[in-house]
Amino acid sequence: MFLNTLTPKFYVALTGTSSLISGLILIFEWWYFRKYGTSFIEQVSLNHLSPWLGGSENGNNNSNNQQTTSECKTWRNPLNLFRGSEYNRYTWATGKDPLTYYDMNQSAQDHQTLFTCDSDSTRPADDIMLRAWRERNPQNRIKAAREAYELNAECATAAVLLGEEELTTILEAEKMFRHALKAAETNHKKSQALQHHGPTQEKIHRRDLNTLVYVKRRLAMIMRKLGRTKEAVKIMRDLIKEFPMVSMFQIHENLIEALLEMQLYADVQALLAKYDDISLPKSATICYTAALLKARAVCDKFSPEIASKRGLTTAEMNAVEAIHRAVEFNPHVPKYLLEMKGLILPPEHILKRGDSEGIAYSFFHLPHWKRVEGALQLLHCTWEGTFRMIPYPLEKGHLFYPYPSCTESVDRELLPSFHEVSVYPKKELPFFILFTAGLCTFTASLALLTHQFPEPMGAFAKAFLASLSAPFSFLVEKLESVIPSSLWHQLTRL
């Protein structure tokens, strides 16, 4: 009786409302997937519904996820730019902030580790710098550093902060870092003589050593930016020779880039022989530079057509294997080198094997690949073959460990929102996006058909609902025949 009273307008309103709701869900799911790389409905199901259904298993999964995330360690970018003279100028020109809060917070922690110690509170200028490194607001941090610098012009860490963040040109930064170098050398000599007089003096010496190495390295990077590459190479080589144990700054990667700029390929090969070792951590710079050097030996005569007919020579095979090795380590780099994807300013921190490392490497090394004639062509012809060797990169690797599954989430924290994060391996669309897309399309089609053909669709809807209600009606009739009428009467009254 109720079904017979429903008009076609009701069905139009019903299907139209269903289509609208499912469309809104689809838009939200798609936005959430593009921003966070996962489905919102799946996240809610895993985080809030799964504990009710199987709490212990979910707890184990969460602990495993936390362990995996902790393995995705971020590293200081060896070639990071200067905030005042490079990052800030980009912001003034475009209105976009190239650094994320997460990235700058990582830098603040690094600075506190490198440039502070427990006894800083006993010296007025160092005490101000102790607060400056902890300050998150850039203006307040620069103001505190300027106050410390005016109080004591020999405060090397104050000069470092001002050179990094306040000065707006590389030339001005050079003058400030040269002043910081004099102060850092003086402080280092003083603390070196007293380092064995107790744990406090040892910490002061370690802080002064970090400051000295940092200032020299940044001066070398300034020389490289100003085109005085020979001076930069000399400073870097002296640093590696004088302080071989200070590996946290990864000065060898700065040296490799500078040597490539000078086209001293034999020196680069000698450096790789020392650092491209199985016992040492790898990086995109190490792997792709090794591939570039091997490609350089064959790429000028390489032809895909000829190679397909006669096969690869031993040297060509070595070059292709080196490219495959590099791509397996970081699969994001080739698209930037081949200019299939636009570059942005590199972040201050990178995730090895992630998109952030790919950007940082390509930003500085793309000119070196272009300078070697045919290198990019060889890369273009061979890099995708890597993925046929490792069809399931998250489960099993070939030359390296399986590709970490947490790179996307960390890269989204390190890279600005206006950059489309490169994801490897490509994720399939979540089930709920496909489901809501199908539901939205189906209900929208029903609404359109009901609006255009109200009578046939109304009859079809009534027949469909009647067929759905038929089993229920049959069950009710059977119950009426079995249950006494008096009891049935009491049940219907309830």
Side-chain angles (χ1 to χ4, degrees):
M1 191 68 181
F2 170 73
L3 297 178
N4 295 330
T5 61
L6 299 179
T7 64
K9 290 184 178 180
F10 169 79
Y11 296 113
V12 173
L14 177 64
T15 53
T17 304
S18 302
S19 176
L20 176 63
I21 294 174
S22 57
L24 293 175
I25 295 174
L26 173 63
I27 292 172
F28 176 76
E29 275 282 289
W30 178 253
W31 169 83
Y32 194 88
F33 175 74
R34 295 285 292 177
K35 186 173 179 63
Y36 299 105
T38 186
S39 166
F40 175 77
I41 298 176
E42 289 180 5
Q43 285 290 98
V44 171
S45 302
L46 290 173
N47 295 333
H48 300 286
L49 299 181
S50 294
W52 295 351
L53 302 177
S56 59
E57 293 182 2
N58 187 65
N60 293 334
N61 291 336
N62 286 340
S63 63
N64 291 335
N65 291 338
Q66 291 173 1
Q67 182 179 1
T68 304
T69 303
S70 65
E71 292 174 356
C72 288
K73 174 188 175 183
T74 58
W75 298 70
R76 184 83 178 171
N77 181 6
L79 296 166
N80 66 304
L81 306 178
F82 290 80
R83 284 194 191 178
S85 54
E86 292 175 304
Y87 288 120
N88 287 348
R89 293 181 70 178
Y90 175 84
T91 303
W92 300 333
T94 64
K96 297 178 180 179
D97 196 344
L99 297 177
T100 63
Y101 177 81
Y102 178 81
D103 190 15
M104 292 190 290
N105 187 55
Q106 293 283 87
S107 297
Q109 295 177 19
D110 291 343
H111 294 153
Q112 291 178 54
T113 303
L114 293 174
F115 303 133
T116 63
C117 62
D118 297 338
S119 62
D120 284 349
S121 57
T122 60
R123 296 177 295 277
D126 289 334
D127 184 46
I128 296 174
M129 287 307 301
L130 194 63
R131 291 185 283 108
W133 293 122
R134 293 172 180 170
E135 179 60 56
R136 294 296 185 266
N137 183 278
Q139 287 75 26
N140 293 343
R141 189 165 53 246
I142 293 172
K143 182 180 178 181
R146 177 59 64 181
E147 181 183 349
Y149 186 74
E150 292 174 354
L151 185 64
N152 180 10
E154 299 304 314
C155 181
T157 54
V160 167
L161 194 149
L162 294 175
E164 289 279 357
E165 302 189 24
E166 184 186 41
L167 304 180
T168 57
T169 67
I170 294 295
L171 288 173
E172 292 175 339
E174 180 192 3
K175 294 178 182 177
M176 183 60 75
F177 270 95
R178 288 202 178 277
H179 178 78
L181 178 60
K182 293 179 181 179
E185 288 176 337
T186 302
N187 295 336
H188 178 256
K189 288 179 181 178
K190 291 180 180 178
S191 61
Q192 189 174 26
L194 302 173
Q195 62 175 316
H196 300 297
H197 290 195
T200 301
Q201 294 296 330
E202 186 178 350
K203 291 178 181 178
I204 294 174
H205 173 67
R206 189 182 302 117
R207 188 273 311 272
D208 292 341
L209 174 62
N210 291 336
T211 305
L212 178 61
V213 175
Y214 183 90
V215 170
K216 284 189 174 183
R217 172 177 158 271
R218 291 304 260 176
L219 264 176
M221 295 175 69
I222 290 174
M223 299 299 104
R224 169 68 183 89
K225 293 175 188 295
L226 295 176
R228 290 141 61 181
T229 313
K230 287 186 178 180
E231 295 180 50
V233 168
K234 184 180 184 305
I235 295 174
M236 293 174 195
R237 280 178 165 160
D238 290 344
L239 275 174
I240 293 175
K241 184 178 180 180
E242 188 177 357
F243 306 105
M245 301 304 293
V246 182
S247 60
M248 70 179 75
F249 296 108
Q250 299 178 334
I251 302 170
H252 62 277
E253 296 201 7
N254 299 88
L255 181 56
I256 287 174
E257 195 279 327
L259 291 173
L260 287 173
E261 176 64 21
M262 298 175 67
Q263 301 184 45
L264 299 177
Y265 298 110
D267 291 355
V268 175
Q269 186 63 60
L271 205 58
L272 287 178
K274 179 180 179 181
Y275 289 98
D276 193 4
D277 186 82
I278 192 171
S279 62
L280 297 176
K282 298 293 180 289
S283 67
T285 299
I286 295 293
C287 295
Y288 277 90
T289 302
L292 175 61
L293 294 185
K294 290 188 177 180
R296 177 176 169 270
V298 299
C299 61
D300 57 335
K301 301 176 182 178
F302 178 78
S303 172
E305 294 78 11
I306 298 176
S308 63
K309 293 178 182 178
R310 62 164 168 78
L312 296 174
T313 64
T314 303
E316 289 173 344
M317 183 63 72
N318 291 337
V320 171
E321 289 177 353
I323 289 175
H324 287 175
R325 172 179 180 259
V327 174
E328 181 185 350
F329 182 82
N330 193 315
H332 308 280
V333 172
K335 286 190 176 181
Y336 293 111
L337 292 180
L338 298 172
E339 300 181 88
M340 300 165 63
K341 191 174 173 62
L343 279 170
I344 61 171
L345 294 185
E348 292 184 338
H349 285 80
I350 59 172
L351 177 67
K352 289 195 175 182
R353 307 187 74 179
D355 189 31
S356 51
E357 185 190 33
I359 292 170
Y361 172 80
S362 305
F363 186 87
F364 293 98
H365 287 261
L366 178 57
H368 308 319
W369 279 82
K370 287 184 174 181
R371 189 178 294 118
V372 178
E373 184 179 357
L376 289 176
Q377 181 190 4
L378 180 60
L379 177 68
H380 176 73
C381 296
T382 57
W383 73 280
E384 290 182 324
T386 310
F387 306 126
R388 292 191 289 270
M389 300 165 57
I390 42 173
Y392 303 103
L394 297 179
E395 301 171 10
K396 187 178 180 181
H398 179 59
L399 298 173
F400 299 98
Y401 288 109
Y403 192 79
S405 59
C406 59
T407 55
E408 181 187 356
S409 58
V410 179
D411 276 331
R412 289 185 187 278
E413 295 285 346
L414 287 173
L415 298 172
S417 58
F418 58 81
H419 172 73
E420 183 180 354
V421 175
S422 175
V423 179
Y424 175 78
K426 283 292 184 183
K427 289 186 175 180
E428 297 181 356
L429 286 176
F431 165 76
F432 285 104
I433 289 184
L434 300 175
F435 176 76
T436 52
L439 180 63
C440 178
T441 304
F442 177 70
T443 52
S445 302
L446 285 180
L448 180 62
L449 290 173
T450 307
H451 179 72
Q452 293 293 329
F453 311 102
E455 295 300 331
M457 290 300 295
F460 173 76
K462 290 177 182 178
F464 179 72
L465 292 176
S467 63
L468 288 180
S469 61
F472 180 74
S473 302
F474 176 77
L475 180 63
V476 171
E477 290 177 2
K478 287 296 183 182
L479 288 175
E480 286 180 349
S481 62
V482 173
I483 299 176
S485 57
S486 57
L487 179 59
W488 181 255
H489 179 68
Q490 294 295 328
L491 291 174
T492 53
R493 291 183 61 185
L494 292 175

